[in-house]
Amino acid sequence: MDINRFKEALDLYFNHKLSEKEEIELMKEIYSLSDNDLELLIDRYYDTHPVSHSIDRKEADIIFNKIIRKSRRKGSKYILKRVVSVAASLIIALTAIYFAKDYFKQETNDYWVSRDIKPGGEKALLTLSDGTVVDLSISKDSLLLDKKNNVTIRVIDNKLVIDNIPKTKSAELRYSTLTTPRAGEFQMTLPDGTGVWLNAESSIKFPETFSEKERKVYITGEVYFEVAKTADKRPFIVELTDKAKIEVLGTHFNVNAYDNEGGVRTTLLEGSVKVESAMTGVYQVISPGQQATITESGNITVDKVDIDEAIAWKNGRFIFEKADIQSIMRQLERWYNIKFEVQGEIKSHFGGAISRKVNISRIFEMLEMTNEVKFRLDDSTVIVLDK
């Protein structure tokens, strides 16, 4: 279904301008879509459409109590678009989301209306080997680092690209560092063609030219790699100081190593990787769909995980599956550059998916729709309370 036609049909539905036959046809067409196509359409509609529609309180109560609450799944509070399994109920759930701002108007702090917090975007600092710092969020020019070796760094469509890179001896390696702040993310292509995505509050230290023996980088925070294969099969190595070493030839994987996440989690999408604990020297080789976790004590565990959830950030989404409120808040804290404080004991777990492009108020509104939590602003800190 074309996004423009989808938006037009929903607008007509919200304004009660579809005939019974047209509503049935709309339901049939929505129901025929795959989950991925449906989520994409809803995301694109929801991210760009203003929250201006409202319905009366009685109708809101009916939708909220009979549809949203009824659709909760055991063990998890599903708060977003996939709270129901049939097309008609999905449309009603969309309507509930559409009027959410009006529904919670009495309980919502005016802050969320007048000073809403926008999501993060493409922001990064590049620190060159000579100490020069370049703000890539405003730099549009190519940067010539080494005329002798013809090494260039370019910023093309908010993506850092390093090209014209010859091999060099290890003794000649010179490192640059790409760093993202809170509310920032950035992409880059390494000298060998490897694609790299940095989440907020992350960094990658890389040589301007790789050595003849190996391709080694150093990271912090959360980074996704699509490692390029080389003809000479030089290993690609990711090191996290005093924590872990990850070795591959060519593969796609994600590394989450934030200090406040309680360990290093490596999730494999394609190929195979060897994950080694820097503390114990013990290693595990994992397969696609598996996640190796190195605990703070240096032990390694391997589990089967939801790949979509693990790399949701890289695809511009938040996906929560039985997530506790603290882990959700940590993600929002990094992406929206705001401080959170959870008061009381909130034992509920939450599930759902939403674009990272929305303002933070929309996420709060949807979390509040579970009737499990509420939010209050205290100076510059968001207080999370048990409802």
Side-chain angles (χ1 to χ4, degrees):
M1 181 185 294
D2 177 74
I3 181 61
N4 292 326
R5 190 159 63 86
F6 183 68
K7 290 171 66 175
E8 181 181 357
L10 285 185
D11 288 342
L12 292 172
Y13 176 88
F14 289 140
N15 290 287
H16 308 288
K17 293 183 179 180
L18 287 182
S19 67
E20 182 178 355
K21 181 179 179 181
E22 288 171 330
E23 283 190 17
I24 293 174
E25 291 301 317
L26 175 62
M27 300 303 177
K28 286 181 178 179
E29 191 161 5
I30 290 175
Y31 193 68
S32 68
L33 296 172
S34 68
D35 287 349
N36 288 338
D37 289 342
L38 185 55
E39 282 200 20
L40 179 61
L41 277 173
I42 294 172
D43 269 349
R44 293 178 64 187
Y45 176 87
Y46 182 63
D47 293 347
T48 59
H49 209 285
V51 181
S52 57
H53 174 76
S54 63
I55 61 179
D56 62 55
R57 185 61 182 248
K58 182 178 179 181
E59 189 175 353
D61 286 338
I62 292 173
I63 295 176
F64 180 72
N65 289 300
K66 292 189 176 181
I67 302 299
I68 301 299
R69 286 181 181 167
K70 184 178 179 181
S71 64
R72 291 179 185 172
R73 300 183 186 179
K74 186 176 181 181
S76 184
K77 306 298 186 291
Y78 278 75
I79 56 176
L80 303 177
K81 297 167 295 259
R82 298 181 66 184
V83 297
V84 282
S85 59
V86 297
S89 295
L90 188 142
I91 288 291
I92 296 173
L94 275 173
T95 307
I97 290 171
Y98 197 52
F99 70 70
K101 183 160 287 189
D102 289 319
Y103 182 81
F104 289 104
K105 185 184 296 181
Q106 295 177 348
E107 298 183 16
T108 302
N109 192 302
D110 289 341
Y111 173 83
W112 306 126
V113 177
S114 62
R115 296 173 55 202
D116 204 356
I117 301 173
K118 295 183 181 297
E122 288 81 9
K123 305 171 189 175
L125 295 177
L126 176 65
T127 304
L128 305 178
S129 59
D130 63 1
T132 302
V133 178
V134 182
D135 186 347
L136 298 183
S137 62
I138 60 176
S139 175
K140 302 295 182 182
D141 299 325
S142 298
L143 307 172
L144 186 62
L145 298 187
D146 190 333
K147 293 182 179 180
K148 181 179 179 181
N149 291 320
N150 196 28
V151 177
T152 61
I153 289 185
R154 307 176 189 276
V155 180
I156 304 172
D157 296 329
N158 290 321
K159 180 180 179 181
L160 186 66
V161 179
I162 307 172
D163 52 17
N164 299 331
I165 307 296
K167 293 181 183 179
T168 188
K169 297 179 180 179
S170 297
E172 299 175 357
L173 293 183
R174 288 170 298 185
Y175 286 86
S176 295
T177 302
L178 181 66
T179 306
T180 53
R182 279 193 173 191
E185 62 181 4
F186 219 79
Q187 296 183 43
M188 72 170 298
T189 301
L190 289 170
D192 63 338
T194 292
V196 180
W197 286 255
L198 275 71
N199 202 350
E201 285 193 302
S202 303
S203 71
I204 180 168
K205 180 181 177 182
F206 58 93
E208 295 169 8
T209 62
F210 281 123
S211 74
E212 295 179 339
K213 295 181 179 180
E214 63 185 14
R215 300 170 288 165
K216 182 184 288 188
V217 297
Y218 303 84
I219 70 167
T220 64
E222 186 166 23
V223 184
Y224 175 81
F225 291 91
E226 292 188 354
V227 179
K229 295 181 179 180
T230 58
D232 55 11
K233 296 186 177 180
R234 280 177 294 164
F236 188 94
I237 299 172
V238 178
E239 284 205 5
L240 298 93
T241 306
D242 300 325
K243 291 182 179 180
K245 177 181 177 182
I246 303 162
E247 183 174 341
V248 303
L249 286 176
T251 191
H252 298 181
F253 64 101
N254 187 77
V255 183
N256 183 317
Y258 290 114
D259 289 337
N260 63 353
E261 294 293 346
V264 177
R265 298 193 300 272
T266 302
T267 308
L268 183 64
L269 284 76
E270 179 182 304
S272 66
V273 298
K274 175 184 174 182
V275 181
E276 180 179 333
S277 169
M279 187 177 299
T280 65
V282 175
Y283 68 87
Q284 291 278 0
V285 177
I286 61 174
S287 302
Q290 292 183 325
Q291 182 180 87
T293 301
I294 300 178
T295 65
E296 292 179 335
S297 61
N299 296 323
I300 301 180
T301 60
V302 177
D303 299 289
K304 195 80 173 177
V305 296
D306 183 343
I307 296 297
D308 290 337
E309 182 182 4
I311 65 165
W313 69 269
K314 179 255 181 185
N315 295 327
R317 297 169 61 80
F318 291 110
I319 296 181
F320 307 122
E321 178 67 31
K322 296 183 180 180
D324 59 61
I325 194 66
Q326 288 81 7
S327 65
I328 292 175
M329 291 305 111
R330 288 196 297 270
Q331 291 190 52
L332 299 182
E333 193 171 38
R334 287 189 287 264
W335 186 234
Y336 290 93
N337 190 21
I338 194 167
K339 183 179 179 181
F340 288 91
E341 180 182 325
V342 179
Q343 292 186 355
E345 188 176 6
I346 301 175
K347 296 182 178 180
S348 300
H349 287 71
F350 303 83
I354 187 171
S355 169
R356 281 168 42 119
K357 297 178 182 178
V358 301
N359 288 356
I360 201 169
S361 63
R362 296 205 173 189
I363 299 178
F364 288 162
E365 288 164 1
M366 294 178 201
L367 285 167
E368 287 187 342
M369 287 178 75
T370 65
N371 206 34
E372 300 291 333
V373 292
K374 59 183 178 180
F375 300 89
R376 187 186 77 234
L377 180 68
D378 186 1
D379 294 329
S380 60
T381 301
V382 175
I383 307 298
V384 187
L385 301 163
D386 189 344
K387 203 167 186 178

